Amino acid sequence: MRVLHVTDVSGAADVRQVLLPYRDARDKGPYDVIPASRFWLARLRADDMPALPALGCHLVVVLSGRIELSASRRAVTELGPGDVVCFDVGAAEEIGLTWPDDAWLFFVSTPEWVPEPGLTKVSSRHDPRPGRPLLTWIYDDGGHSRSEPFRWPYSLGSVPPVDKWPTSIGAFVTRRDYGSEGYTPGVWHNGPRRQFGITLNGSGENETGDGTLTHPVTGDVALIDDVTGAGHVTRGRGDRWMMFVTVAPGDLSELTPET
């Protein structure tokens, strides 16, 4: 898991390692540490990547695929699942993003937010899922939670202007090192608000009231939507980093299970 910041320095693109602000997964702190305003999920070919300046200040989480990032005359950086790139650029000529076939990406608009410089370190890494990421919807169904794959209600093959994206009220990152000796026991709980949980590193096991077990790994996404009812239980393994992107009340109502 790497966190990079791409910006303009003296008229040329520059890539720097930065710190991703996080808290312990057991700390129920603020949900808007990262001032996310909108988000978008996409499955893109490289030619379909929008012009970076048009998206303003934003970050991209790589969910699947291998992406080559080039900037000015710097060496090419290879990005993979769980990597996060924060973009704040005024011109795209110096920046190249290329990959074969499809890549799944999660975009988050972060107006005027700039991460602090530094190195984000993880103590252990886990292999991502081959192919497409696992997209899971955890929701309350009459007091008992259910898990189902969800269908993104918009076109996956393009990225519209930012003002067309669903809205968010903030984002935050958690971390907890559960060790490598199997899944750590968890407790049943509700989601504190409607939010996407993106696994940046490590792995987990989610159990819902219908008996379904899902096993998210690096690059997988879950919409935590069981804010009422009996809730779900999460068990972690490894050095687990999660990015949570909230969904503004009333937004993304078109979401449906994948059939």
Side-chain angles (χ1 to χ4, degrees), residues 138-181:
I138 297 175
Y139 64 96
D140 177 35
D141 182 16
H144 296 277
S145 58
R146 291 187 177 276
S147 294
E148 296 191 50
F150 70 79
R151 181 184 298 278
W152 182 246
Y154 312 106
S155 171
L156 284 166
S158 61
V159 180
V162 174
D163 62 1
K164 303 298 184 183
W165 299 4
T167 52
S168 173
I169 55 174
F172 61 98
V173 176
T174 64
R175 177 192 189 187
R176 183 180 175 187
D177 194 340
Y178 295 93
S180 58
E181 301 299 322

Side-chain angles (χ1 to χ4, degrees), residues 1-5 16-22 82-84 86 113 115-123 125 173-175 200-201 239 241:
M1 188 190 95
R2 287 168 297 179
V3 186
L4 303 176
H5 182 212
R16 301 178 182 180
Q17 296 189 89
V18 290
L19 296 171
L20 195 60
Y22 70 90
D83 289 339
V84 180
C86 307
W113 180 71
E116 297 291 330
L119 177 61
T120 300
K121 297 181 179 180
V122 297
S123 64
R125 299 178 184 272
V173 176
T174 64
R175 177 192 189 187
L200 302 180
N201 192 68
D239 188 7
W241 290 68

